[in-house]
Amino acid sequence: MRVIIRNLGLIAAFFITMYAGSGCNEATILGNELIPGQDFVNGVDTTLTGIITQNIWKTDSAVYTGQGNYSKVLGSIVGDPLFGRAHGFVYTQMSLPSNAYSFAGTGQTLDSIVLSIAYRGFYGDSMAAQTFRVYRMAEPDFKIDSNYRYYQALKYSAGELLGTATVVPRTLKDSVSVYGAKEAPQLRIRLSTALGNQFLQQTATTGFKNDSSFYAFLKGLAIVPDTTLATNRTMLYLNLNDPVTRIRLFYKNTENDSLSASFPFAAGFTAHANYFVRNHAGSQAAQYINTNTPAGDSIIFLEDAPGLFTKVTIPNLENFPNAVINKAELVVSEITPAPSDLNDIYSAPDFLFLQQYVSGDTTRPLIDYGNPSNPNQPYFGGDKTVVTLFGGMKYTQYKFNISRYMQRLLRKQETNTSFKLEALSPRNIDVHRVRAGGGNHSQFNLKLRIIYTKL
């Protein structure tokens, strides 16, 4: 069972607190239980190594993509040498402009029909072209009240291609002009003339009578990325719950030649889902996944959910000498990247998160994190920082303050269980990744720095 962090309220609280924080001061280093600052000069500074780190890859049944999860990822990453492949498919319905809808006038003829989805950015190579194809949904019971999980591939009619587009992500960031009106950035895919004419054939008493009859006419659309090209290196971030997300049909009748009809996405009424699949085969990460080696993995691989995470075990931590803990800081360091790692394209997560295992796969936030609904994130840490080595080499580092947990452990108020280390994103599905040193890495090893005062 997964707990807490997949709760969107907790994730929102984390990021609200993160962006509200503007830095650290001494108060964020010393907890309320700790010794006064004037006694800090008597502290002992030590670093614990020998930490056991194990990369874990498993299905995360807590990641849902339907109902209120309107943010989607669409695209294909094929050439990541460290982490392998990732593909995102989007499924969605649209709705009628109104019940008993009719096109204006008589003698309607089609100009074009276009699917547009609100664009929110990209991950990967901004100049790598991506091809997307649109098909008619064939999932037998595609409906809004099904909360689809990310690993559910839904059915579509592969023999009925409704549209295709090849886009360069960088070009999507600008507003677009539609009939002289500017609209927000969007992915636009022109659909087939055949589908447009099928729309024109519907009436207020047939396919346009109500949403049920409309879904019988068009169950939904599957937007499918090309997953075969070695040049696929990008994932798009889209938002269904936006006014520009719609099917828009442009037509003319016997009296007017610049008419249009919009069939919008209707939050709470139209079904939608995001199929997301990873494949680590052939990557460096594949050598370190689910090894169950007692000594742990020398390299750890972290991906935004749903993805790889790390189990962290610190043997005998409960036997640390009785002391007042001034600071206990877990430090995660990226292994210095080489150009072939493509870190200039595939960036590291902005945040990592650390939780405490309670029983089996059940976890909870550490006491240092604070109240999950109002966390003390600036104190707890986990945000990305960049460290510059002598000579100008840079790498990413993350630090967690676990001083209160450590103090309670020495007081026998906590148990030395393992920790879950994972990448964290405000999106339900995301693709950032980082390769860091494990507990027994020779240079960038995971370590726990403890500053304490002997009793």
Side-chain angles (χ1 to χ4, degrees), residues 365-380:
L366 278 75
I367 188 172
D368 299 87
Y369 182 66
N371 184 341
S373 63
N374 186 27
N376 189 1
Q377 198 282 328
Y379 169 87
F380 183 60

Side-chain angles (χ1 to χ4, degrees), residues 289-412:
I289 297 173
N290 297 339
T291 63
N292 295 315
T293 304
D297 301 314
S298 60
I299 302 177
I300 61 177
F301 296 83
L302 301 169
E303 297 170 313
D304 283 330
L308 290 166
F309 63 92
T310 300
K311 181 178 182 180
V312 177
T313 304
I314 309 177
N316 302 312
L317 185 61
E318 70 277 13
N319 297 325
F320 192 84
N322 192 24
V324 173
I325 303 299
N326 305 109
K327 186 174 185 179
E329 187 175 66
L330 189 70
V331 182
V332 183
S333 299
E334 178 188 26
I335 296 173
T336 304
S340 60
D341 296 336
L342 302 183
N343 279 21
D344 57 330
I345 295 174
Y346 305 121
S347 59
D350 289 331
F351 308 99
L352 298 185
F353 195 66
L354 187 71
Q355 293 194 87
Q356 178 185 4
Y357 280 104
V358 178
S359 175
D361 286 341
T362 302
T363 60
R364 69 183 179 196
L366 278 75
I367 188 172
D368 299 87
Y369 182 66
N371 184 341
S373 63
N374 186 27
N376 189 1
Q377 198 282 328
Y379 169 87
F380 183 60
D383 51 309
K384 178 173 67 176
T385 59
V386 177
V387 177
T388 303
L389 297 173
F390 181 77
M393 179 65 72
K394 296 182 179 181
Y395 68 96
T396 296
Q397 193 171 77
Y398 306 84
K399 297 179 180 180
F400 295 95
N401 186 357
I402 62 170
S403 304
R404 292 169 181 165
Y405 166 82
M406 184 69 190
Q407 189 70 77
R408 288 172 62 86
L409 181 65
L410 299 186
R411 293 176 181 174
K412 312 301 181 184

Side-chain angles (χ1 to χ4, degrees), residues 34-46:
L34 308 184
I35 63 173
Q38 62 266 27
D39 292 331
F40 185 75
V41 292
N42 298 317
V44 179
D45 191 338
T46 187

Side-chain angles (χ1 to χ4, degrees), residues 197-265:
N197 285 328
Q198 290 173 19
F199 267 75
L200 289 179
Q201 291 167 11
Q202 306 307 308
T203 68
T205 59
T206 58
F208 290 170
K209 181 179 180 180
N210 51 41
D211 279 337
S212 294
S213 60
F214 183 62
Y215 300 147
F217 157 63
L218 182 65
K219 187 181 294 290
L221 301 175
I223 304 97
V224 179
D226 180 283
T227 61
T228 62
L229 298 178
T231 54
N232 289 346
R233 305 203 296 185
T234 314
M235 201 73 69
L236 303 184
Y237 298 126
L238 305 176
N239 182 26
L240 296 182
N241 191 21
D242 186 282
V244 304
T245 299
R246 57 189 172 177
I247 293 174
R248 193 170 182 187
L249 187 142
F250 301 91
Y251 68 102
K252 56 190 173 184
N253 60 24
T254 54
E255 297 180 350
N256 297 294
D257 59 4
S258 297
L259 300 171
S260 70
S262 291
F263 299 81
F265 177 86

